[in-house]
Amino acid sequence: PSKGSPFITFVLGGPGSGKGTQCAKIVEAFGFTHVSAGDLLRREIASGSAYGSVILSTIREGKIVPSQVTVELIQKEMESNDNYKFLIDGFPRSEENRKAFEQTIGAEPDVVLFFDCPEQEMVKRVLNRNQGRVDDNIDTIKKRLEIFDELNWPVINYYSQRGKLHKINAVGTVDEIFEKVRPIFAPLSK
Ligand code: UP5
Ligand code: MG
């Protein structure tokens, strides 16, 4: 990569665990650039891209978009940004996603956050969100939870074994949770 090595944080957690909300706080406090894989995919749908209809039906079914598509969008977003500190939110969701990123970007994350949240709480938050997302209905939420349970744990375990995982209890107010996130980044910005 032309700009030296970026500082990459992966932000993991089930649907509605608070990834996006905490990313906004981290951006504000520590100057990261927020790259939400889900937002990039939704933007791709809205732009009428060739992949749009495949992405839309995949998201409706709560399934995972082919790695190649997502990694390309993340790569473009990182390359078009002058910052070197990135929060990659909602990715990688599977071992296949993880390997595709490592191969294409040629980098590993420095830090991995995992927002650990009970299912009941995640369902409640997503159903209350009310922002018109096509996947915020009870049927799709159940599928998102199933896919998360099936495919995300191997990724979480992988980074845990490599000593990169920070598991954060995601129950509490937004500010209470951020106070558990802050000490992870505070030493790095000195
Ligand atoms: N909220 C947040 N924190 C709260 C707190 N502490 N207490 C009470 N309420 C809280 O939060 C969800 C809601 O809860 C909000 O209303 C918030 O105000 C409130 P949010 O911060 O949005 O949670 P987040 O974890 O970001 O939830 P999100 O629904 O975005 O997670 P998903 O992982 O399900 O969604 P994402 O956008 O990442 O992906 C959507 C779909 O895209 C996937 O299902 C998949 O089909 C596809 N996708 C891929 O295929 N590949 C990818 O790499 C990424 C996505
Ligand atoms: Mg989100």
Side-chain angles (χ1 to χ4, degrees):
S2 56
K3 59 186 165 191
S5 57
F7 186 96
I8 297 171
T9 297
F10 282 162
V11 183
L12 307 180
S17 59
K19 301 182 293 296
T21 303
Q22 292 298 321
C23 281
K25 305 278 290 181
I26 299 167
V27 166
E28 206 181 301
F30 298 109
F32 277 74
T33 291
H34 182 197
V35 179
S36 160
D39 285 351
L40 292 177
L41 292 168
R42 286 183 285 272
R43 200 204 286 169
E44 199 65 7
I45 296 170
S47 79
S49 107
Y51 293 133
S53 61
V54 175
I55 298 172
L56 177 58
S57 54
T58 307
I59 288 180
R60 274 220 177 95
E61 291 167 25
K63 293 183 179 162
I64 299 175
V65 172
S67 298
Q68 192 200 336
V69 173
T70 315
V71 171
E72 196 183 312
L73 292 172
I74 293 172
Q75 184 175 35
K76 268 196 227 154
E77 194 68 12
M78 289 175 72
E79 283 176 358
S80 69
N81 205 293
D82 284 339
N83 202 351
Y84 69 97
K85 294 193 279 188
F86 295 96
L87 296 169
I88 314 286
D89 165 5
F91 179 97
R93 304 175 96 87
S94 65
E95 280 287 275
E96 202 233 320
N97 269 178
R98 178 183 69 72
K99 288 174 189 160
F101 181 92
E102 280 175 17
Q103 272 173 17
T104 306
I105 313 282
E108 288 208 10
D110 299 275
V111 170
V112 181
L113 305 183
F114 167 44
F115 290 104
D116 189 20
C117 195
E119 279 200 5
Q120 222 186 336
E121 176 69 18
M122 293 195 276
V123 172
K124 194 177 89 187
R125 288 182 190 177
V126 170
L127 288 178
N128 281 336
R129 175 161 44 197
N130 237 340
Q131 284 178 0
R133 269 176 54 169
V134 297
D135 53 348
D136 283 356
N137 59 78
I138 191 63
D139 289 339
T140 307
I141 292 165
K142 281 184 187 156
K143 289 180 191 144
R144 286 155 73 190
L145 287 167
E146 271 170 32
I147 300 279
F148 173 79
D149 235 18
E150 186 185 328
L151 298 175
N152 216 254
W153 287 110
V155 178
I156 289 164
N157 293 335
Y158 176 87
Y159 289 120
S160 173
Q161 280 158 17
R162 310 204 107 202
K164 291 185 175 178
L165 193 80
H166 296 265
K167 179 174 160 176
I168 294 144
N169 180 351
V171 180
T173 67
V174 170
D175 288 337
E176 281 166 357
I177 296 161
F178 185 63
E179 288 315 313
K180 297 183 241 176
V181 171
R182 189 194 296 279
I184 299 166
F185 295 103
L188 304 170
S189 60
K190 272 178 195 154

